[in-house]
């Protein structure tokens, strides 16, 4: 009863637990292995930059790669296809395409042999050229997701995508440890540098990168010696590892169907924090179940002694046994309830509003990306054009970023403060609004101080320093806000 109640409470939170055995195992997990793309990151990668061979148009390279990736369910493939559609490209139908799950795809588009995927996958299918050496250097330098495209055995271009770490990732990992998990490992098919940068960022115990699907299974097997292992993943390439783990958890909202099939638990909403909810529900259900068992057996044994010494007639004994069963069942039903209900009475942040706030941030990401692009452009721009470039950026920031921050500060924060128990956190966040405003202001002053003949080397340096700082603060500020919003969201 308690276990079934737990399964039903999980379902109410958007977590599908396939049976009581899976729920019991959730409560005993000691090691958690997480996949990166689509699990720790949200898998909604944005295309930031396309580099193409000088004889090819970047948009054409994007069209070829996206055409081939139409057939793939990989989150990065879907991001490429979406990026191509946004740019109004007409995708062609691929023929003879073959996907190596988690590595890349090969096939024919308009009569050309195309390969799309990570460095290892594509570099094995191309001849080395000056361009491929250049791209390799670029990939090593830049710490984001990169995808390559080859055309007829020669590297045609490379795509830089930003795949944001989920805003709730940090707090989820902290709460997993509080819930009794001893070891958290990242297992990814992606590059080592990317994985290692996440290790210190998230405080992971260990990271293993550049894994093939079968390697992920091996990691799961190896970790099982230390206690029950949970594997969390989203892709087709995670399916074998999900099946091998004591509990496999699939991120089902946007992940591949094969992973949901192989998993014991499927998170149907696109949120990692449901993992913690499921584990705490499992803990509570399991302890209530054990409590009911011991209580029922204890009372029965007491009744047996009473009957043995003649204090109960057989009929009384039979009735008492029924009563004991009912008590045990009623106790088990407690698992249906929410222990925190009533503890937090007011709605802090309704779900619909959270979604809207997150969408607002996503819509502003192109402004933040523009900070980065301008910084790069200013490096090589002729002196006379710097002024115009800065004027455009300044206008963009004042039109889109500053009004957003002002609105947060003047409307959203007071509203949250009046409902929430954590005014201090928001006070600190208001400080960031001031800082962003101050830096945009400095940028305007700097721009106005430029003479007609453009910036001196010192001024150019100062502008770049300012832009770097502004970009970093804004990104951090957005991430912190999103983490706080998710914590404030009404738990139901
Ligand atoms: P993770 O194990 O962290 O989820 P994956 O192994 O699924 O990561 O993917 C790793 C990398 O492989 C991606 O970042 C991407 O560069 C590349 N990749 C895999 N499949 C594809 C595809 N269909 N199209 C483009 N790139 C792909
Ligand atoms: Mg993945």
């Amino acid at each position: 009863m308690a276990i079934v109640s737990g399964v039903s409470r999980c379902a109410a939170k958007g977590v599908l637990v396939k049976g009581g055995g899976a729920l019991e195992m959730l409560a005993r997990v000691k090691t958690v292995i997480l996949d990166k793309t689509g699990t720790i990151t949200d898998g909604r990668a944005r295309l930031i930059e396309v580099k193409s061979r000088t004889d090819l148009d970047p948009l054409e390279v994007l069209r070829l790669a996206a055409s081939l990736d139409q057939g793939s369910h990989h989150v990065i493939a879907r991001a490429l296809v979406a990026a191509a559609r946004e740019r109004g490209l007409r995708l062609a139908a691929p023929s003879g395409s073959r996907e190596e799950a988690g590595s890349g795809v090969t096939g024919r588009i308009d009569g050309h042999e195309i390969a799309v995927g990570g460095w290892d996958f594509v570099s094995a299918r191309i001849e080395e050229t000056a361009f491929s050496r250049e791209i390799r250097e670029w990939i090593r330098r830049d710490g984001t997701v990169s995808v390559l495209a080859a055309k007829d055995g020669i590297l045609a271009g490379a795509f830089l995508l930003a795949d944001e770490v989920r805003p709730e990732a940090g707090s989820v990992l902290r709460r997993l440890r509080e819930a009794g998990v001893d070891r958290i490992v990242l297992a990814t098919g992606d590059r080592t540098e990317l994985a290692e940068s996440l290790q210190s960022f998230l405080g992971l115990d260990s990271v293993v990168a550049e894994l093939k699907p079968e390697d992920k299974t091996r990691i799961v097997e190896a970790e099982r010696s230390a206690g029950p292992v949970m594997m969390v993943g989203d892709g087709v390439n995670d399916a074998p590892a999900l099946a091998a783990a004591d509990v496999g958890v699939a991120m089902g909202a946007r992940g591949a169907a094969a992973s949901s099939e192989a998993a014991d638990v499927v998170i149907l909403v696109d949120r990692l924090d449901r993992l913690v909810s499921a584990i705490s529900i499992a803990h509570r259900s399991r302890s209530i179940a054990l409590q009911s068992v011991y209580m029922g057996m204890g009372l029965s044994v007491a009744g047996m002694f009473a009957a043995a010494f003649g204090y109960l007639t057989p009929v009384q004994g039979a009735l008492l046994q029924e009563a004991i069963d009912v008590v045990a069942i009623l106790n088990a039903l407690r698992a249906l309830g929410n222990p925190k209900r009533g503890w937090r009475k007011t709605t802090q942040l309704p779900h619909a509003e959270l979604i809207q706030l997150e969408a607002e941030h996503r819509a502003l990401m192109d402004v933040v990306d523009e900070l980065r692009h301008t910084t790069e452009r200013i490096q090589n721009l002729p002196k006379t054009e710097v002024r115009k470039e800065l004027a455009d950026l300044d206008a963009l920031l004042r039109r889109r970023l500053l009004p957003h921050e002002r609105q947060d500060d003047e409307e959203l924060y007071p509203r949250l403060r009046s409902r929430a128990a954590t005014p201090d956190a928001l006070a600190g966040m208001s400080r960031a609004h001031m800082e962003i405003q101050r830096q945009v202001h400095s940028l305007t002053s700097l721009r106005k101080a430029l003479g007609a003949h453009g910036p001196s080397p010192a001024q150019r340096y100062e502008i770049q320093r300012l832009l770097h700082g502004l970009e970093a603060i804004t990104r951090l500020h957005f991430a912190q806000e999103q983490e706080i919003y998710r914590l404030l969201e009404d738990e139901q």
Side-chain angles (χ1 to χ4, degrees):
M1 235 6 156
I3 298 293
V4 171
S5 304
V7 170
S8 126
R9 271 200 62 212
C10 284
K13 284 196 169 282
V15 181
L16 179 71
V17 180
K18 299 185 187 167
L23 191 83
E24 285 192 66
M25 202 44 109
L26 267 180
R28 293 174 40 206
V29 164
K30 285 285 161 234
T31 305
V32 173
I33 304 178
L34 296 155
D35 165 62
K36 184 179 75 69
T37 320
T39 304
I40 288 204
T41 69
D42 74 0
R44 257 183 295 220
R46 284 169 305 118
L47 181 61
I48 299 185
E49 202 174 343
V50 184
K51 280 204 195 291
S52 67
R53 222 164 59 200
T54 42
D55 59 323
L56 288 170
D57 176 20
L59 282 181
E60 172 62 8
V61 180
L62 176 60
R63 189 186 69 87
L64 290 173
S67 297
L68 186 59
D69 256 343
Q70 282 176 104
S72 170
H73 289 293
H74 198 277
V75 284
I76 298 298
R78 278 191 271 176
L80 271 185
V81 174
R85 295 234 164 90
E86 261 169 39
R87 286 160 183 74
L89 298 176
R90 290 179 49 138
L91 303 185
S95 65
S97 67
R98 279 193 47 201
E99 176 159 15
E100 216 171 274
S103 303
V105 196
T106 54
R108 205 181 314 259
I109 308 280
D110 302 341
H112 296 287
E113 280 298 336
I114 309 291
V116 182
W119 172 264
D120 284 343
F121 181 79
V122 174
S123 66
R125 289 167 174 75
I126 54 170
E127 289 167 30
E128 191 173 285
T129 56
F131 179 62
S132 77
R133 278 192 296 273
E134 181 194 324
I135 290 296
R136 165 154 224 174
E137 274 308 304
W138 177 64
I139 290 179
R140 286 227 183 99
R141 254 196 333 265
D142 234 309
T144 16
V145 180
S146 38
V147 175
L148 294 102
K151 183 179 168 192
D152 298 323
I154 298 176
L155 190 64
F159 311 94
L160 188 67
L161 295 108
D163 190 13
E164 234 75 37
V165 170
R166 289 178 188 268
E168 72 272 27
S171 73
V172 166
L173 296 202
R174 275 195 300 279
R175 282 152 64 198
L176 278 178
R177 292 196 198 272
E178 284 165 17
V181 172
D182 296 332
R183 195 170 148 72
I184 303 180
V185 180
L186 176 74
T188 172
D190 221 333
R191 284 156 34 224
T192 312
E193 304 95 90
L194 281 184
E196 280 173 353
S197 74
L198 282 176
Q199 174 163 25
S200 44
F201 177 49
L202 291 171
L204 299 155
D205 294 298
S206 151
V207 295
V208 242
E210 293 172 24
L211 299 174
K212 300 230 168 321
E214 58 275 20
D215 302 328
K216 287 196 182 183
T217 317
R218 246 199 316 281
I219 302 280
V220 169
E221 297 291 354
E223 295 284 347
R224 284 183 71 182
S225 57
V229 171
M230 171 195 277
M231 166 83 204
V232 192
D234 70 306
V236 184
N237 55 330
D238 300 319
L242 292 180
D246 296 285
V247 204
V249 181
M251 301 298 291
R254 265 175 307 123
S259 64
S260 302
E261 193 103 355
D264 305 294
V265 176
V266 185
I267 300 185
L268 297 167
V269 288
D270 193 20
R271 303 203 23 182
L272 195 57
D273 52 0
R274 293 297 193 257
L275 199 59
V276 185
S277 316
I279 290 185
S280 50
I281 292 174
H283 274 297
R284 183 159 187 276
S285 304
R286 187 162 181 269
S287 69
I288 290 179
L290 289 176
Q291 187 188 51
S292 304
V293 166
Y294 293 136
M295 186 166 75
M297 290 203 312
L299 289 173
S300 295
V301 169
M304 280 183 220
F305 274 109
F309 290 105
Y311 293 107
L312 287 174
T313 65
V315 172
Q316 282 171 332
L319 288 176
L320 185 64
Q321 180 61 59
E322 294 303 321
I324 291 172
D325 288 347
V326 171
V327 168
I329 288 172
L330 286 180
N331 185 58
L333 277 177
R334 283 197 304 130
L336 262 185
N338 182 354
K340 286 191 192 151
R341 186 166 293 154
W343 169 70
R344 217 194 238 174
K345 281 191 292 299
T346 47
T347 309
Q348 303 197 339
L349 186 62
H351 184 65
E353 196 175 341
L354 174 83
I355 299 289
Q356 193 209 330
L357 289 172
E358 289 185 348
E360 275 173 23
H361 275 173
R362 251 200 315 282
L364 279 172
M365 278 333 267
D366 66 311
V367 178
V368 186
D369 289 342
E370 191 53 35
L371 279 171
R372 173 195 168 116
H373 292 322
T374 310
T375 320
E376 275 169 12
R377 278 201 296 270
I378 281 185
Q379 179 119 1
N380 305 316
L381 221 53
K383 275 180 154 192
T384 45
E385 283 170 38
V386 171
R387 240 183 120 141
K388 160 117 188 17
E389 187 77 27
L390 282 183
D392 290 348
L393 181 70
D394 200 354
L396 181 74
L397 293 174
R398 285 178 185 276
R399 193 174 68 241
R400 297 195 36 211
L401 184 64
L402 291 189
H404 167 83
E405 300 303 349
R406 205 168 307 129
Q407 198 184 352
D408 274 2
D409 217 36
E410 289 171 4
E411 289 171 30
L412 176 68
Y413 282 17
R415 202 145 35 90
L416 289 179
R417 258 192 213 111
S418 66
R419 296 180 197 149
T422 52
D424 305 344
L426 289 178
M429 302 302 290
S430 288
R431 182 70 186 75
H433 292 161
M434 288 158 62
E435 189 61 28
I436 290 174
Q437 199 139 14
R438 194 179 68 82
Q439 296 215 3
V440 174
H441 208 76
S442 310
L443 187 67
T444 314
S445 323
L446 248 175
R447 177 172 62 82
K448 290 192 173 148
L450 296 183
H453 40 273
S456 64
Q459 279 172 325
R460 200 188 284 250
Y461 172 76
E462 189 57 25
I463 292 168
Q464 282 179 313
R465 203 181 60 80
L466 198 66
L467 291 181
H468 272 306
L470 184 56
E471 184 197 347
I473 290 185
T474 312
R475 276 192 206 280
L476 180 64
H477 175 65
F478 278 12
Q480 288 177 324
E481 274 187 333
Q482 285 176 10
E483 186 157 346
I484 291 180
Y485 296 164
R486 291 223 158 181
L487 287 176
L488 288 183
E489 196 205 350
D490 183 33
E491 282 265 342
Q492 38 187 304

